[in-house]
Structures are given as C-alpha cells and as structure tokens.
C-alpha cells in the first residue's frame, strides 16, 4: 500500500462526530439503564487480553483476531467480544461471588479481516451475561431483556428468531447414526446458509424416503409455538426432544413476559456449534440488512477458565442500532451565549457558572467590540454567532449599561 | 410488516435474465413482457408484489448481502467467487453450464504454472485443494486468449457448450463444479419477509419440479 494520506485512517475504523457521538451515548445510556432495571450490573474489562486465554476461548475465528506482541514477546489480542473477558472475571475475581451473576457491559470490540465497507474492524456492543442459571427461564429472561433493550433504544419493528443447537444434533444423531462426516457436512451447509447444498448432500446420502423428507422438512421449521409440536413429532432422540421441551418452556415464559409477538422459533437458526451449547437467537430489524442482536447459551466457556457454570447472554450491535435510529437534525440550539469584555468578565463568568449549575449549556466568549454586542442583543432568536445557533445572548460589558438578564434561559 | 411492501429482487442483466423471467412467468408471477427490453434500472411490478433491480451479475450477491435487495438471482459461479453471507435457497436449474480447467491439447506440466481466469478465488482454492501451487492471473474477458498467446498455460472459466473452446483449439481438462442459477436471500429479509419469500420459493420449486 502507498503511504496513507493525512486524512486517512485504517479500513474499518470510524470517527463519530458530535451528532453521532451524542446519539451513540444516548443509545448506550438507554440500553444500559434498561439492563440495570433488570438487575444487571455494569462491568468494565481491559481492551487487551492474552491470546492464550481469552483469545483462544473466544468464539471469534483466529484469523479475525487482532493480535499484537507486548514487550516480552507474549501474544495479546484486542478483545473481539465481551463474553470471554467476562467469563475470565467470573471465574477469577468473582470466583467467590454467589451465582447467578447478572452482568452488563458497553464496550468497543475489534475484528480484523472485515475488509469491505460496512464491515467494521472496531464497533460497539452493549450486552449482558447471565451466569449460573441453566433454566429455560434464564434463557427467556435474556431474550425478553434483548427485546426490552431494543425497545429502549427506540427500535420498534424487529423480530427475534430463536433456535436450539441440540435439536439438530439430536436429529442428525438419530437419522445419521455413525455417519459423523455426513453430519458435519450437513451442519456446515446450514451454518453457511446453503440450503441448495444441504438438499444436494441429503440426496447424495441415499437415505430412505421418509428420513430424507424429514431432514429436508426442517428447512421449513419456522414460526410460532406450533413449530415445537411439529418438531416433537420429527425425532424420538432424547437430545432433540429435550431441546424442544426447553424451547416450549421458553415460549411459555416469553408468553408470560408478553413479548411473543416479537419472537419466532426457527430450528434452522444455528450458531457456531463449537461454542453455543443450547438455545441461540438473533434479532433482525426492518430496514437493516444485518442482524442487530445475537446471543445464546454457552455452558462450556466458563469451564475453560476453571469455574464450570452454565451461562447465557446476548450482545446488541450498538453501531448498527445507531444506523437504524438515525441522527437528530443538526443544531442543538438550546445553549446560551455570554459575551463579555474585560470590565464585564467577572460578572459574566459568575453568571455562566450559575446557569451551568442549574443545568444549562453556556458558551462564553470575550467580545471586545461593542457593536457586536448591540447587534447580537438586537438580533432575533435563535441568535447566530460565528456559524452557531444560541437560544439567547447575554451581554456583560463595562460600557453597555444594560444586559439582558439570564432568567430562564432554556 | 405491511403486506403491501414490495419484495426487492436483484436480477442479473444479460444471459440469465431471459431464462429467469421466463421461469417467473411460468410460476404464475405476473411480470410484464416489455421488461425484457427496457433500459430502466429499477422496475416495479406491484401486481407481482415485487420490484426488480437490474444489476450486473457479479454485483447481485453484494446487493443481497447488504439488504439493498431482499432476494436475488445469481449463477453459482458468482456465488463461489464472491463468497457472500447470504441464504442460498433454491437451485433454479436454469443457465446450466460448468466451471472448468482449460488448456491446449498438448499441455504438459510446467515449472511455474500460471492460470488466467475471471474467477481468481475459485481458481486459487481449486488448485490448493489439488495440492498445486499456481500463479493466478486475473483477466476480465477473452480468457481463451491467455494459453494461445502464452500468457498462461491453463485457464479456469465457465463452459456452456464448448463452442468457443473448439474454435480456438482448446480442450476442457477437468470440471471443477457444475453451475446453475440460484435464488439467494438476505439474512434479515429471509426472516422479516419470510412469508413472501417462502411462498415465492414454493411456487418456483413447484415450477422447476414440473419442468424436470
């Protein structure tokens, strides 16, 4: 690559200008407050971790991790998600804290080799982890909280698709017993969303008509609670049935939360098999091509840090939520401008302090030119000064006798 | 979602388009005939509940991945080359051809093999799997020229009838994979507009089965 031009930054990284930064903070606050009201406490962890601990344990593939060396030659990673760092903390610093733990976070995470536009190398995630509760109620709680958080961020039209890795594992184990390779291939097709390849491989396996039809039928297992009943009929396998029972129970809990309108069951929706161990889910908002939330159960992760415990959680893709809610029209003009000259300075700055203490935004500037003062005082509101708009202008000069009083500036 | 929202379909201009629009009509989707000759880039067909985006074939997976289109029609060759994160829902069985390795009839292994192609990703992956290290040269057209003028010793390209190869004295050495057009869908649209997409899928599937 040629030497970068001065305005350039590495591909996939973004600046957030005031309007966007303000909105981002607002979404962060709204979602974290919502999580807080559900009893999730915020946690902050470092941006860098050891490759051999958090890096290896994370669900991010090796080639997508940003790796660097510290001064001793140890490999570090920039965190690629918050789940593994939180697992590390839960198993070490919080080792003696009683379970369940309810933790929330808002953090920037890093993924490399996402070279195309729209694929970010650094982005924000806001999420929760519920550690130490294996019940369907816990899984339903995080799904319901994901829904509440999306609503808190101002997203109205969205759907959450819920699946379960155990169903396919069980179904394949039953129908393709001993054919580990075929199972892997079929799962890889589903994970890669390649339904054509899935059907082709199924046909190539030369299974009996009934079984083949059954396995093709799962591509349509998508909808409400009735899907659970259909799936129940499909498999006698204990793992598969237990998964479906778990989903049915989750559905009942979600019904009690009153959020079923947003939820659909999709048994082809599978996360990474090596990471997720149970329920998985993804959230989609109208008008955005990429998922806005993803999560699921990962009961094997904490064991890797020496404190085996069931865990479930989700991460909102905060940066994508920002795209969805959009920015407010430019120009926050609720600020007050105070102009002063040397003689008026003391009084002006005292008044500015008083106004700030009562919650106003105040900009002060030394303006020695009396004409500017009088024209700003005469100007219609909002007052425009040096390209910015202000709700009010207050003048403090030694020569000008009267100045408009601060009063209720907002 | 409102029921009246049109399904955005990314259609590849050119070779595949005619066969795809014929298939859609056979499936009972009321697409006006005059579509085929228009130069417009976005065409609405409200009676079919769809709006069509006329795209360059290699761009179709990109439109769909980003959600600029809900679904799209694209050759397997492009899908293999572009490797986008989309649902591959249906083999439409149209625009059949194959991806092949092609060379001169008297080809012999060379010391520094060079392969010219429009599909660098497909070519690299194939030769790696074969345990061969080759230098891949990306060309944008008239790939057949490369072995004839000594730019490369072999090429990887799409073969439909083999007519061009024969006329230029080239032979197909190995088939890499078969190609047909596929129906693809955006990850979010597939969930948010599942009813519309699934019913389109079912109609097309029935039509394809009836053809076979």
């Amino acid at each position: 690559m040629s030497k970068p031009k001065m305005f350039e930054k590495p591909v996939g990284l973004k600046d957030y200008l005031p309007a966007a930064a303000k909105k981002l903070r607002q979404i962060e606050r709204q979602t974290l407050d919502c999580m807080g009201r559900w009893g999730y406490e915020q946690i902050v962890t470092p941006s860098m971790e050891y490759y051999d601990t958090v890096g290896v344990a994370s669900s991010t593939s090796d080639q997508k991790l940003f790796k660097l060396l510290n001064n001793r030659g140890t490999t570090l990673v920039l965190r690629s998600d918050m789940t593994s760092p939180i697992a590390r903390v839960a198993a070490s610093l919080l080792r003696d804290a009683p379970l369940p733990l309810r933790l929330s976070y808002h953090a920037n995470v890093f993924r490399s080799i996402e070279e195309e536009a729209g694929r970010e190398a650094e982005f924000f995630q806001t999420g929760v982890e519920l550690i130490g509760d294996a019940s369907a109620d816990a899984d339903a709680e995080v799904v319901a909280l994901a829904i509440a958080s999306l609503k808190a961020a101002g997203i109205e039209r969205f759907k959450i698709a819920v699946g379960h890795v155990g169903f396919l594992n069980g179904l394949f184990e039953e129908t393709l017993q001993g054919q580990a390779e075929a199972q892997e291939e079929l799962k890889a097709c589903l994970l890669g969303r390649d339904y054509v390849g899935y059907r082709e491989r199924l046909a190539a396996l030369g299974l009996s008509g009934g079984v083949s039809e059954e396995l093709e039928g799962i591509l349509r297992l998508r909808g409400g609670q009735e899907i659970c009943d259909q799936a129940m009929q499909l498999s006698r396998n204990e793992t598969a049935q237990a998964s479906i029972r778990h989903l049915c129970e989750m559905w009942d809990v979600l019904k009690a939360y009153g959020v079923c309108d947003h939820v659909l069951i999709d048994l082809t929706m599978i996360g990474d098999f090596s990471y997720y161990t149970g329920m998985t889910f993804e959230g989609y908002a109208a008008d955005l091509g990429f998922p806005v939330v993803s999560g699921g159960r990962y009961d094997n992760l904490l064991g890797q840090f020496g404190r085996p415990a069931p865990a479930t959680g989700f991460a909102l893709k905060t940066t994508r939520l920002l795209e969805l809610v959009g920015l407010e029209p430019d120009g926050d003009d609720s600020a007050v401008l105070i102009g002063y000259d040397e003689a008026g300075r003391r009084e002006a700055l005292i008044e500015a302090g008083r106004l700030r203490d009562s919650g106003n935004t105040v900009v002060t500037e030394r303006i020695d030119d009396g004409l500017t003062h009088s024209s700003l005082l005469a100007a219609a509101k909002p007052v425009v000064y040096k390209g910015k708009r202000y709700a009010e202008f207050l003048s403090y000069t030694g020569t000008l006798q009267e100045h408009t009083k601060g009063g209720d500036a907002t | 979602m409102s029921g009246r929202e049109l399904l955005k379909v990314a259609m590849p201009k050119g070779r595949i388009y005619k066969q795809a629009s014929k298939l859609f009509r056979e499936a009972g989707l009321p697409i006006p005939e005059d579509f085929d000759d228009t130069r417009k880039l976005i065409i609405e067909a409200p009676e079919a509940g769809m709006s069509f985006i006329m795209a360059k074939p290699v761009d179709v997976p990109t439109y769909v991945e980003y959600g600029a289109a809900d679904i799209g029609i694209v050759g397997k060759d492009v899908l293999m080359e572009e490797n986008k994160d989309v649902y591959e829902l249906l083999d439409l069985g149209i625009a059949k051809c194959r991806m092949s390795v092609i060379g001169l009839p008297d080809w012999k292994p060379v010391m520094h093999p060079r392969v010219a192609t429009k599909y660098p990703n497909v070519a690299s992956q194939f030769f790696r799997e074969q345990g061969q290290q080759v230098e891949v040269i990306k060309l944008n057209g008239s790939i057949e020229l490369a072995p004839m003028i000594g730019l490369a010793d072999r090429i990887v390209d799409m073969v439909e009838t083999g007519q061009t190869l024969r006329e230029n004295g080239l032979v197909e050495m190995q088939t890499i994979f078969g190609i047909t057009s596929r129906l693809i869908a955006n990850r979010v649209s597939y969930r948010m507009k599942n009813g519309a997409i699934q019913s389109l899928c079912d109609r097309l599937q029935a039509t394809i089965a009836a053809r076979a």
Side-chain angles (χ1 to χ4, degrees):
Chain A
M1 201 188 129
S2 59
K3 195 174 170 223
K5 303 234 186 268
M6 286 314 288
F7 69 88
E8 285 181 312
K9 52 189 178 281
V11 174
L13 301 177
K14 266 188 184 168
D15 297 309
Y16 292 88
L17 296 179
K22 188 172 166 190
K23 196 73 204 179
L24 193 65
R25 292 286 174 234
Q26 190 185 329
I27 295 172
E28 170 190 340
R29 205 168 47 242
Q30 286 163 336
T31 48
L32 281 172
D33 283 354
C34 174
M35 292 162 185
R37 286 193 294 274
W38 288 54
Y40 288 76
E41 292 180 297
Q42 216 186 128
I43 181 171
V44 176
T45 71
S47 302
M48 279 180 250
E49 297 270 0
Y50 285 121
Y51 168 75
D52 288 313
T53 60
V54 168
V56 170
S58 89
S59 64
T60 312
S61 66
D62 212 56
Q63 68 205 23
K64 285 192 179 172
L65 289 174
F66 266 109
K67 299 189 195 88
L68 45 151
L69 296 176
N70 70 1
N71 52 3
R72 293 177 180 186
T74 313
T75 311
L76 308 179
V77 291
L78 290 177
R79 62 178 169 216
S80 61
D81 62 37
M82 279 295 285
T83 307
S84 321
I86 287 178
R88 173 181 60 72
V89 174
S92 54
L93 291 172
L94 291 175
R95 170 172 281 275
D96 298 323
L99 299 178
L101 284 169
R102 285 183 168 81
L103 298 170
S104 70
Y105 60 84
H106 173 83
N108 51 345
V109 299
F110 305 86
R111 311 261 170 98
S112 67
I113 328 202
E114 300 273 12
E115 283 178 5
E116 280 191 69
R119 295 297 183 80
E120 290 165 300
E122 178 188 19
F123 51 94
F124 294 94
Q125 287 191 338
T126 318
V128 303
E129 312 295 348
L130 171 47
I131 297 165
D133 188 339
S135 68
D137 289 75
D139 280 332
E141 175 175 322
V142 296
V143 171
L145 178 50
I147 291 171
S149 307
L150 284 171
K151 284 183 178 163
I155 313 291
E156 276 151 19
R157 296 198 306 162
F158 61 88
K159 286 266 184 231
I160 305 278
V162 183
H164 198 299
V165 296
F167 173 69
L168 285 177
N169 279 336
L171 185 63
F172 286 155
E173 200 43 59
E174 181 186 26
T175 50
L176 299 166
Q177 207 170 8
Q179 305 182 54
E181 201 176 318
Q183 291 188 22
E184 286 311 311
E185 276 182 16
L186 289 174
K187 282 183 198 168
C189 286
L190 291 177
L191 198 58
R193 298 176 238 289
D194 179 4
Y195 288 3
V196 174
Y198 179 81
R199 287 194 204 95
E200 279 170 1
R201 275 180 188 73
L202 215 48
L205 283 171
L207 303 164
S208 72
V211 174
S212 179
E213 232 166 75
E214 202 172 289
L215 289 181
E216 200 178 323
I218 62 167
L219 296 180
R220 313 181 66 103
L221 285 181
R222 179 172 310 114
Q225 196 176 18
E226 73 283 359
I227 295 303
C228 287
D229 303 334
Q230 289 178 32
M232 223 38 164
Q233 306 300 322
L234 267 178
S235 178
R236 298 264 77 91
N237 176 282
E238 185 41 42
T239 314
Q241 294 224 330
S243 314
I244 299 300
R245 277 196 301 275
H246 187 88
L247 284 181
C248 286
E249 207 181 332
M250 266 183 76
W251 187 271
D252 288 338
V253 185
L254 290 168
K255 205 149 67 180
Y257 275 113
V259 295
C260 285
D261 285 353
H262 287 290
V263 183
L264 56 100
I265 290 176
D266 186 336
L267 293 172
T268 59
M269 219 272 329
I270 50 171
D272 181 352
F273 279 100
S274 59
Y275 186 75
Y276 287 115
T277 56
M279 173 281 297
T280 64
F281 72 99
E282 236 177 19
Y284 313 94
D287 311 320
L288 193 67
F290 298 92
V292 291
V293 54
S294 66
R297 177 165 285 286
Y298 51 98
D299 288 349
N300 296 335
L301 181 65
L302 270 99
Q304 296 186 45
F305 291 96
R307 188 191 189 185
T312 182
F314 69 81
L316 295 171
K317 321 284 178 206
T318 320
T319 327
R320 286 181 188 153
L321 296 183
L322 180 67
E323 274 179 58
L324 265 178
V325 297
L327 303 180
E328 262 139 47
D330 228 12
D332 167 24
D333 46 17
S334 66
V336 176
L337 175 66
I338 295 183
Y340 60 86
D341 62 8
E342 200 173 353
R345 184 194 286 142
R346 192 182 134 75
E347 215 184 320
L349 297 184
I350 289 171
E351 174 65 4
R354 196 189 65 74
L355 284 171
R356 284 173 187 141
D357 285 346
S358 56
N360 296 291
T361 305
V362 184
V363 176
T364 58
E365 191 158 321
R366 178 162 174 169
I367 304 171
D368 284 327
D369 172 20
L371 277 175
T372 311
H373 279 267
S374 34
S375 73
L376 283 173
L377 280 173
K381 282 166 193 166
V383 181
V384 179
Y385 178 65
K386 289 190 179 169
K388 284 221 168 66
R389 291 144 63 92
Y390 300 92
E392 202 157 353
F393 173 70
L394 306 183
S395 170
Y396 286 84
T397 64
T399 51
L400 215 65
Q401 283 306 302
E402 48 183 298
H403 43 248
T404 34
K405 285 289 169 207
D408 35 20
T410 47
Chain B
M1 304 295 298
S2 85
R4 294 308 316 152
E5 206 164 348
L6 299 180
L7 205 57
K8 290 189 289 268
V9 188
M11 277 284 201
K13 288 188 284 196
R15 198 173 67 93
I16 301 173
Y17 176 76
K18 286 226 167 2
Q19 297 183 46
S21 61
K22 188 157 166 273
L23 180 71
F24 271 56
R25 283 185 199 115
E26 264 179 56
L29 296 155
I31 302 169
E33 295 283 344
D34 58 355
F35 268 29
D36 299 2
D37 308 311
T38 182
R39 280 166 179 260
K40 277 168 116 178
L41 294 175
I42 299 175
I43 307 166
E44 299 215 329
E47 54 290 355
M50 289 187 259
S51 104
F52 294 90
I53 299 163
M54 309 305 283
K56 195 173 153 121
V58 300
D59 294 336
V60 167
T62 308
Y63 285 102
V64 174
E65 185 184 38
Y66 282 78
D70 297 311
I71 58 173
I73 290 174
V74 64
K76 183 67 178 170
D77 54 318
V78 175
L79 276 182
M80 295 289 280
E81 177 65 20
E82 297 291 314
N83 196 19
K84 298 287 184 189
D85 190 4
V86 295
Y87 276 98
E88 188 177 333
L89 294 179
L90 205 57
D91 182 346
L92 298 176
I94 56 170
K96 273 204 179 77
C97 52
R98 57 195 178 272
M99 186 68 73
S100 295
V101 182
I102 297 151
L104 291 164
D106 59 352
W107 180 84
K108 282 188 192 63
V110 294
M111 178 98 93
H112 301 292
R114 283 205 301 252
V115 174
T117 184
K118 258 198 277 189
Y119 302 90
N121 294 332
V122 166
S124 316
Q125 199 193 336
F126 172 73
F127 284 106
R128 279 181 73 190
E129 280 166 9
Q130 304 285 306
Q132 297 181 42
Q133 187 157 10
V134 302
E135 187 185 332
V136 174
I137 302 170
K138 158 104 201 220
L139 293 179
N140 293 298
S142 305
I143 315 292
E144 296 81 3
L145 266 174
M148 298 164 68
I149 58 174
L151 176 63
D153 58 298
R154 284 167 294 175
I155 62 175
V156 165
D157 205 11
M158 221 163 69
V159 181
E160 200 172 354
T161 61
Q163 183 67 24
T164 320
L165 300 186
R166 280 190 293 279
E167 282 176 13
N168 290 292
L170 296 168
V171 292
E172 221 176 321
M173 300 164 71
Q174 204 170 358
T175 304
I176 304 179
F177 53 82
I179 299 168
T180 45
S181 297
R182 308 293 162 95
L183 181 72
I184 59 172
N186 172 267
R187 289 172 71 180
V188 175
S189 304
Y190 187 56
R191 295 273 157 40
M192 296 300 285
K193 302 184 179 177
N194 192 258
I197 293 175
Q198 192 64 53
S199 84
L200 173 70
C201 233
D202 291 345
R203 287 169 88 160
L204 290 174
Q205 202 166 10
T207 312
I208 295 159
R211 276 181 168 191

